Amino acid sequence: MSATVTEEIRLERLDPASRSASTPASSLGHGGGDEDGQGAVAAIDGSREQLVSDLAPIDGGRKAWTFVFASFVFETMIWGQSYAYGAYQNYHDHDVRSALYGKASPAATSAIGTLVIAGQHFVPLLTRGFFRTYPHLIKRVALGSIALSSLSLLAASFLEAHVAALLVFQGILYGILSGVTFTPVILWLPQWFDERRGTASGIIYSGSGLGGTVFPLLVGKLLDGVGFAWTLRIVALVSFIATSLAAMLMQPRLPIVTAPSWPRQTVVRRLLPEGIKAMWSTPFAGVGEAIIFCQSCAWCTISLYISTYTSSLGFNATTATGILSAFNASATVGYLSIGRLIDMTSYPFVMGASTLTCSLAAFLLLGFSHSLPLLVAFVLVFGLAGGGFTTFLTPLSTDLAKLNSQDLGTIYLALIFVRGTAAVGGPLVGAALYDEGELGNFALYGAHGFRDVIIFVGTGMIIACGLAIAAWLLRRKWMAAST
């Protein structure tokens, strides 16, 4: 690295005014640095070096918002599909045309969607070491994963009568491959946005709400019109085209470093997840993780079972799909509003307000839901208040990185891993609590065997609210001590 470049970086760190054409401090420090391919300077074509002043602007500009748009498309196609799995489950459980109708239990069919969400949450952290060691392969691997994930759905379309095969192809493989596909968004977002990262995250993550709104309607129409097999084939084709085009638009802000020839032992060590000691080093970290876990357990249970609950009330498949779409549509607004609030106020306070509202909605609206208007009110309130909760991972991981001088990207992926654990565990607990024997029982509270599920969801949210208050107090204490 030349002395001129070193001086540029030094001056950038000292002069915040230069940030319009610089890289964020979170990408320069916290243990990630140049070895992640996220340093401020990199070798290009083996001979030239790029100055910090040559980089695209941060927190705005055509290239930054192009990245946001491409990431939004990724989010819409990848996470939107997983959040729309309730439409498939409702088809398998209640439509006689399904090859699994009467042959597979609701727990088995719901496990397919759970495995998709699990793979999407777990894989980014597990592949972090690989992309840290070989950053020049990030985009190529993502493009390969796009193709393979579409092929896995295509394979599942020919095995619709075998629940075990669907668990493998539509569940495990698709979840893993789509998790790999989404990795560039997670790794490159901190390069493009710093002070406006909450807003950018909200826009990107609102794609899951949009996808979760459109895909249930699309999948429901296709299932009714062409059946399960052709529905998967059409979805696979649409997903392949849209995500491939988005991948072409997606670029990192910082130059990619070509990986050196690492010794074998060094490669093995670098491939393992590291730099996550911040996850258990302070009480604030533990409280933050507990908030994410409790909220996600409750949220993912509702996301997976809201269509089933609607059908249990006697409404047809079209209405059940519409309720799921309304739920995800309100979540889209939640992403945008919460992302903006994060940039304006203390995020633990917003966490507490979000989870408290969701808890009250579960206990009071869903618990007494026997009619469509009350059910619609629940999904709108619950989705609006809790839909943007993933956006909180950005400021939380930033705080943990600052507290422990750790890599921001790794901590963010670790928080996603925590959320994935809850996304798997929550619906499994919900499946155990759901009493199918009570189907047809119009109880005053928690009808049709869903009473314990509703109590589980409401309790999880109220615990998360209490923890958010604790996080707010701990963060105030930490910030006061650091000033």
Side-chain angles (χ1 to χ4, degrees):
M1 184 182 298
S2 68
T4 303
V5 171
T6 304
E7 182 66 11
E8 287 265 357
I9 298 174
R10 186 181 68 79
L11 291 174
E12 180 194 16
R13 285 171 170 169
L14 293 175
D15 182 13
S18 68
R19 297 182 73 80
S20 62
S22 67
T23 188
S26 59
S27 290
L28 289 169
H30 308 314
D34 297 343
E35 69 176 11
D36 279 3
Q38 297 184 30
V41 182
I44 304 177
D45 295 333
S47 59
R48 294 183 292 113
E49 288 184 335
Q50 183 166 344
L51 299 179
V52 171
S53 58
D54 294 332
L55 297 175
I58 193 171
D59 284 321
R62 179 181 60 82
K63 292 184 178 180
W65 292 115
T66 298
F67 176 83
V68 169
F69 172 74
S71 300
F72 174 84
V73 175
F74 263 44
E75 182 83 12
T76 301
M77 302 306 299
I78 295 171
W79 293 93
Q81 284 192 62
S82 65
Y83 291 153
Y85 181 76
Y88 289 107
Q89 183 179 350
N90 190 64
Y91 175 77
H92 292 315
D93 293 346
H94 298 98
D95 197 316
V96 295
R97 292 173 294 178
S98 169
L100 297 181
Y101 179 76
K103 299 177 182 178
S105 67
T109 55
S110 67
I112 301 172
T114 300
L115 288 170
V116 172
I117 294 175
Q120 291 172 339
H121 283 87
F122 293 158
V123 166
L125 178 63
L126 299 178
T127 57
R128 167 66 169 166
F130 175 83
F131 290 126
R132 185 170 66 94
T133 306
Y134 305 106
H136 61 291
L137 296 178
I138 291 176
K139 191 166 184 177
R140 277 180 275 180
V141 172
L143 287 169
S145 296
I146 290 171
L148 291 175
S149 63
S150 298
L151 287 175
S152 70
L153 291 182
L154 183 62
S157 72
F158 292 99
L159 301 166
E160 60 178 311
H162 307 280
V163 67
L166 295 182
L167 285 168
V168 172
F169 289 101
Q170 191 184 5
I172 297 173
L173 289 179
Y174 179 75
I176 291 174
L177 292 165
S178 57
V180 174
T181 300
F182 195 72
T183 300
V185 177
I186 300 170
L187 296 181
W188 292 343
L189 176 60
Q191 297 182 12
W192 286 107
F193 288 89
D194 184 28
E195 294 179 359
R196 301 179 68 185
R197 196 179 300 159
T199 300
S201 298
I203 295 173
I204 292 171
Y205 297 146
S206 68
S208 64
L210 176 62
T213 302
V214 173
F215 272 106
L217 298 175
L218 173 64
V219 169
K221 288 291 185 182
L222 289 174
L223 288 172
D224 187 57
V226 298
F228 178 78
W230 275 104
T231 296
L232 277 188
R233 293 162 193 165
I234 294 171
V235 168
L237 178 61
V238 171
S239 179
F240 175 77
I241 294 173
T243 50
S244 295
L245 292 175
M248 298 299 178
L249 295 174
M250 188 171 294
Q251 300 290 340
R253 176 174 174 265
L254 306 180
I256 295 295
V257 177
T258 301
S261 298
W262 301 101
R264 181 175 299 178
Q265 290 183 342
T266 302
V267 171
V268 173
R269 177 178 58 82
R270 289 175 62 86
L271 290 178
L272 298 175
E274 62 176 27
I276 57 174
K277 67 178 183 180
M279 302 300 292
W280 57 79
S281 60
T282 63
F284 177 75
V287 170
E289 293 161 43
I291 296 170
I292 299 299
F293 183 84
C294 292
Q295 194 274 349
S296 299
C297 276
W299 175 267
C300 292
T301 300
I302 291 296
S303 178
L304 197 59
Y305 278 96
I306 191 63
S307 292
T308 301
Y309 184 75
T310 304
S311 296
S312 72
L313 294 177
F315 297 107
N316 59 28
T318 301
T319 303
T321 301
I323 287 292
L324 179 60
S325 292
F327 174 69
N328 289 318
S330 61
T332 304
V333 180
Y335 277 110
L336 297 173
S337 58
I338 289 178
R340 182 60 177 162
L341 286 172
I342 286 173
D343 289 337
M344 297 171 57
T345 187
S346 175
Y347 70 89
F349 177 80
V350 184
M351 277 181 159
S354 167
T355 48
L356 176 61
T357 303
C358 286
S359 178
L360 293 175
F363 281 132
L364 300 179
L365 294 178
L366 184 61
F368 292 102
S369 287
H370 295 92
S371 62
L372 189 60
L374 202 57
L375 190 58
V376 170
F378 164 74
V379 297
L380 293 179
V381 173
F382 195 87
L384 179 63
F389 212 82
T390 307
T391 311
F392 290 117
L393 300 185
T394 300
L396 179 58
S397 58
T398 301
D399 276 352
L400 295 181
K402 291 177 180 178
L403 271 170
N404 299 273
S405 296
Q406 294 289 309
D407 175 43
L408 170 62
T410 300
I411 294 174
Y412 185 91
L413 295 178
L415 290 176
I416 290 180
F417 193 97
V418 171
R419 189 176 188 275
T421 304
V424 174
L428 289 177
V429 173
L433 294 175
Y434 173 42
D435 187 358
E436 291 184 75
E438 291 294 314
L439 188 63
N441 179 9
F442 284 86
L444 176 63
Y445 190 86
H448 305 289
F450 278 91
R451 185 195 63 183
D452 292 343
V453 177
I454 294 169
I455 294 173
F456 168 69
V457 170
T459 302
M461 287 294 186
I462 202 66
I463 292 173
C465 177
L467 291 169
I469 296 173
W472 178 63
L473 295 173
L474 288 170
R475 188 172 186 267
R476 286 187 62 187
K477 181 179 179 181
W478 160 54
M479 294 184 70
S482 62
T483 56

